Amino acid sequence: MSTNESVKAKIIQKAWEDEAFKQQLLDNPKAALKQAFNITLPDDIKVKAVEETSTEFVLVIPTNPAKILVTSNAVEALW
């Protein structure tokens, strides 16, 4: 498991175990990540947290690598 996948797995696990954290993550993801994991994302990075249900699923379409001109190593290291 890569570092990015490991961090995401820890965030999801905490959301499953801690209802207050999950609600904060849904309401204000950056603040939740900062408070729980000391992860600070730059102001120009937007984060959206959504919760799947038994009847609602989320399909994430990642950025096309061919369209990325410049990446931020700091953000890339987190995800």
Side-chain angles (χ1 to χ4, degrees), residues 4-72:
N4 295 344
E5 290 170 343
S6 176
V7 170
K8 286 180 185 180
K10 288 177 184 177
I11 293 167
I12 292 167
Q13 185 68 39
K14 182 162 180 65
W16 286 341
E17 296 171 352
D18 183 342
E19 187 67 31
F21 170 73
K22 179 176 81 173
Q23 192 58 54
Q24 184 183 23
L25 189 62
L26 292 168
D27 294 340
N28 188 341
K30 283 187 174 184
L33 295 174
K34 175 65 176 169
Q35 183 177 8
F37 295 96
N38 200 30
I39 295 173
T40 302
L41 297 171
D43 290 339
D44 63 331
I45 299 296
K46 293 180 183 179
V47 179
K48 183 187 289 189
V50 295
E51 182 178 17
E52 289 186 339
T53 69
S54 62
T55 59
E56 233 177 356
F57 298 93
V58 178
L59 176 62
V60 177
I61 302 169
T63 303
N64 182 338
K67 294 184 178 182
I68 297 175
L69 299 177
V70 179
T71 62
S72 167

